[in-house]
Amino acid sequence: MSTTFPAKTINQNTQLAKLNKNSLSQNSTTTVSHAIVNMLEQMGVQYAFGVSGGAIAPLWDALAHSSIQVLHFRHEAGAAFAAAEAYFASNKPVVVFTTTGPGITNALTGLMAARWEGAKVIFLSGATSAPQRGRWACQETSTYTMPHEGIFTSGTLFNYATTFESPDQLPVIARRLASGLEQPGGFVAHVSISRAIQASKINSLLPLVPFSRSLVTTTQQTVAECGRLLSEGHFAIWVGFGARSAAEAIRQLAETTGAGVICSPRGKGIFPEDHSQFVGVTGFAGHESVLKYMQEQCPLRTLVLGTRLGELTSLWNPNMIPKKGFVHVDLNSDIPGTAYPNSETVGIQSDINLFVKELLNYFSKNKNVFTRLKIPRPQRFVINPNAQTPVRPQVLMNMIQRIIVEGSNAIIMAEGGNSLAWATHLLRFTQANRYRITTRFASMGHFVTGVVGAAIAHQGKAIAIVGDGAMLMNNEISTAVKYAIPVVWIVLNDGRYNMCEQGMGFENYNNVNVTIPKTDFVKIALGMGAKGIRVENESQIKLALEQAMASSVPFVVDVVIDSSVVAPIGKRIQSLMAQKSNHYLL
């Protein structure tokens, strides 16, 4: 049962961009490509990632002669993953460019990940010119050769998509892109442009495109009602990635009310993990302290901020349902009540930062008295290194915590698989926006390549913790070398897809072969012009990580991992097994 409170908007009276700022005089001419690039500059685009080709040559040239930094990648999927992570590191829209045919299809996985993650990405691709369509042009991109719906039209992949058929479309396309970028949440657009249109001459000014950003908030009546509900008894706060801009307000709310705070795997660091009111991480690779909290101190209600409570956040575990249900705040009014359709849910459509500040104001005026309980905390174990054994993942993570998490401001990213499980379970963050994972689309190869975009936009170190399978799938070491980007890859090299092997073992499927031939990633790195070091026992970890962090060039740390150590993925496997009978367990 879900009840949704109405929302209202607050106009900030901001203009996205004055698109004619650097435009032409009425008597001069330019090409569509240069007009598009000028438009992108005015929209705040600083980076463009892609792979070139003849069908996009005029637009590529215009990008190269602009203020936008153009980075030529080795694969379109890698470029799209990098673009998504550059957005999250900079909070500015990013461009992906590709040629026709396979250039487009190669990019789709990364673009789908960008859409699921909530990034703001503009995808520019080539298209076959109208006179050549249906004549089997090389890499023909038209309705004769490629699916049209979904790739070239707005829908589940692209928030907005169009094929540029005439220079007269430029003002309309500019307005649609500007409007989409200014809206809260993600926006992924696809503009497909034939070479003939790219090179077309235009002599008209782009129009001014003023937009007022509307921050969605709720009424004082709704805030008061929520305050009343939360004041009825002990409540918890469940924080997700969508609440990252409200970190300070959430901390103040927790300290004001004594609420225990739990977070999604993507939400690590939004509420400091060393705080006495932090209970633990939920869902995939989560902490036992969360279940203990829900069993022994089950809150009356849980205030949910910025998470969909999807499978890897909640495992849809019925033990996570509080006694009187959820108060769920999200920009999207369709989200509250979706993950737990049978629980009582009060849905509130609002910007989370504004809502939490209003709730704090309500509590300060009403002088509420809250019960403060002793909250269970995640257990921390430090395992001493042993020079006689292969590297245990727990020891590696302890050293990453000391040298990288606590010793730098680097962004840390964990690739899907056991890397994600170990990092989420053992690393601890006290700041938002330092830890990046994906628990939604969850593509292998996302952070192996996305780390390059993150390092560029962060203008500093970015670290990818990855498996050997992902590193062999789709890396961009060569790209990082070309642009001297200080990326570090820490490879958990166990010679197998170990999450698959261990997961199948949990289910007693023992006749699978997911081994990988022995790979020396240091030799691969050196062969591409990067640096690297191999770690074969635990006594070598510290020096290797210190060298990697001190390096001014891309660096690979190839760690020989003990494959027999089981990652904390058991609860996820139990969840998969329980789905057969619609009974979900933590």
Side-chain angles (χ1 to χ4, degrees):
M1 183 195 316
S2 179
T3 303
T4 302
F5 286 147
K8 67 178 182 179
T9 61
I10 297 177
N11 290 327
Q12 300 296 304
N13 297 318
T14 61
Q15 292 183 343
L16 172 67
K18 295 180 179 179
L19 298 181
N20 61 351
K21 178 180 177 183
N22 297 318
S23 298
L24 312 163
S25 68
Q26 292 288 356
N27 297 320
S28 61
T29 61
T30 189
T31 65
V32 166
S33 291
H34 283 92
I36 290 172
V37 171
N38 179 65
M39 170 190 73
L40 296 171
E41 289 175 315
Q42 301 307 314
M43 290 177 176
V45 172
Q46 296 180 342
Y47 305 103
F49 303 85
V51 179
S52 59
I56 202 170
L59 187 54
W60 185 30
D61 179 72
L63 284 167
H65 288 88
S66 72
S67 65
I68 297 171
Q69 184 177 350
V70 181
L71 296 107
H72 197 260
F73 271 56
R74 306 297 169 262
H75 194 276
E76 293 87 350
F81 287 131
E85 293 312 311
Y87 166 76
F88 287 116
S90 67
N91 203 34
K92 295 182 181 296
V94 184
V95 160
V96 174
F97 63 90
T98 74
T99 190
T100 48
I104 296 171
T105 56
N106 283 348
L108 292 180
T109 298
L111 293 166
M112 180 68 83
R115 175 71 186 269
W116 281 41
E117 289 290 299
K120 289 186 175 177
V121 174
I122 298 172
F123 176 40
L124 304 176
S125 72
T128 302
S129 299
Q132 284 75 49
R133 293 172 191 167
R135 298 171 58 191
W136 299 110
C138 180
Q139 299 180 340
E140 179 169 337
T141 299
S142 70
T143 55
Y144 291 96
T145 56
M146 292 180 67
H148 188 71
E149 295 295 324
I151 298 179
F152 301 98
T153 59
S154 306
T156 54
L157 175 52
F158 295 109
N159 299 94
Y160 169 65
T162 189
T163 300
F164 210 142
E165 299 283 14
S166 166
D168 294 336
Q169 291 177 264
L170 185 57
V172 174
I173 292 172
R175 184 171 291 273
R176 290 292 300 272
L177 293 177
S179 175
L181 291 175
E182 185 64 6
Q183 297 304 308
F187 178 73
V188 180
H190 180 196
V191 180
S192 182
I193 320 167
S194 71
R195 177 162 177 149
I197 297 298
Q198 292 173 43
S200 295
K201 300 289 185 178
I202 60 171
N203 56 14
S204 61
L205 293 170
L206 287 172
L208 178 68
V209 184
F211 284 96
S212 294
R213 165 172 282 190
S214 296
L215 294 179
V216 179
T217 187
T218 193
T219 65
Q220 291 297 314
Q221 181 181 358
T222 298
V223 173
E225 176 61 14
C226 291
R228 185 190 66 78
L229 292 175
L230 296 175
S231 300
E232 289 181 351
H234 171 62
F235 72 93
I237 304 172
W238 198 339
V239 178
F241 184 66
R244 61 194 183 279
S245 64
E248 177 59 23
I250 293 170
R251 184 187 62 78
Q252 291 180 30
L253 178 64
E255 291 176 351
T256 298
T257 62
V261 181
I262 56 181
C263 77
S264 71
R266 288 206 305 164
K268 283 169 67 71
I270 296 173
F271 189 82
E273 292 189 76
D274 61 354
H275 197 287
S276 61
Q277 289 172 244
F278 180 69
V279 180
V281 179
T282 65
F284 180 78
H287 297 134
E288 294 294 336
S289 51
V290 174
L291 182 58
K292 180 179 180 181
Y293 174 71
M294 296 303 296
Q295 290 174 333
E296 297 179 3
Q297 300 178 20
C298 186
L300 192 66
R301 290 184 173 86
T302 296
L303 176 62
V304 181
L305 303 172
T307 170
R308 295 172 182 264
L309 302 183
E311 182 183 1
L312 294 192
T313 291
S314 67
L315 299 178
W316 300 316
N317 178 358
N319 291 318
M320 295 302 297
I321 301 174
K323 296 173 183 177
K324 289 195 175 181
F326 301 100
V327 176
H328 196 152
V329 185
D330 203 281
L331 281 172
N332 187 339
S333 61
D334 293 332
I335 289 174
T338 301
Y340 289 101
N342 295 322
S343 72
E344 184 177 344
T345 301
V346 175
I348 302 166
Q349 185 181 16
S350 177
D351 174 86
I352 292 168
N353 195 31
L354 287 178
F355 175 83
V356 175
K357 287 180 177 179
E358 290 292 335
L359 194 58
L360 275 166
N361 187 47
Y362 168 85
F363 287 142
S364 67
K365 289 180 178 178
N366 288 274
K367 307 298 182 185
N368 298 75
V369 178
F370 295 92
T371 302
R372 296 178 181 267
L373 305 174
K374 185 177 180 180
I375 294 171
R377 305 269 291 120
Q379 291 183 307
R380 307 296 185 196
F381 299 100
V382 176
I383 304 174
N384 294 323
N386 184 342
Q388 307 304 315
T389 64
V391 176
R392 290 164 290 177
Q394 303 97 314
V395 177
L396 175 62
M397 294 300 151
N398 284 339
M399 203 64 70
I400 291 173
Q401 177 72 35
R402 286 174 50 193
I403 295 173
I404 300 178
V405 178
E406 297 172 10
S408 77
N409 69 343
I411 295 174
I412 294 95
M413 326 179 96
E415 187 67 78
N418 278 4
S419 302
L420 185 155
W422 286 117
T424 298
H425 192 70
L426 294 176
L427 297 184
R428 304 175 301 283
F429 294 87
T430 59
Q431 296 172 297
N433 300 317
R434 283 202 61 198
Y435 184 60
R436 280 286 297 138
I437 61 171
T438 172
T439 54
R440 299 195 63 202
F441 201 56
S443 307
M444 282 185 67
H446 184 132
F447 293 111
V448 171
T449 55
V451 68
V452 179
I456 292 167
H458 179 57
Q459 299 183 357
K461 286 281 187 181
I463 317 299
I465 304 171
V466 306
D468 49 348
M471 196 67 177
L472 288 168
M473 182 176 287
N474 185 24
N475 72 70
E476 292 284 347
I477 296 175
S478 176
T479 303
V481 168
K482 177 177 179 179
Y483 298 105
I485 302 168
V487 175
V488 176
W489 289 270
I490 301 173
V491 185
L492 277 62
N493 189 348
D494 51 20
R496 66 203 68 226
Y497 285 83
N498 209 7
M499 174 178 275
C500 296
E501 182 172 275
Q502 292 180 356
M504 294 294 274
F506 272 115
E507 296 197 58
N508 295 316
Y509 298 132
N510 298 312
N511 295 318
V512 295
N513 186 347
V514 292
T515 57
I516 299 171
K518 183 178 180 181
T519 304
D520 189 329
F521 290 101
V522 174
K523 289 182 179 179
I524 293 174
L526 295 175
M528 291 185 180
K531 292 184 178 180
I533 189 169
R534 190 172 178 87
V535 174
E536 296 182 331
N537 65 65
E538 292 172 358
S539 66
Q540 299 170 337
I541 300 172
K542 183 176 182 291
L543 179 61
L545 294 181
E546 289 173 344
Q547 288 185 10
M549 294 303 292
S551 177
S552 60
V553 299
F555 201 101
V556 173
V557 181
D558 184 8
V559 186
V560 179
I561 290 291
D562 185 345
S563 63
S564 67
V565 181
V566 179
I569 62 172
K571 301 299 189 294
R572 156 70 168 158
I573 305 304
Q574 291 176 20
S575 173
L576 288 172
M577 295 170 67
Q579 289 176 30
K580 300 173 186 176
S581 58
N582 292 323
H583 295 294
Y584 304 110
L585 305 173
L586 182 65

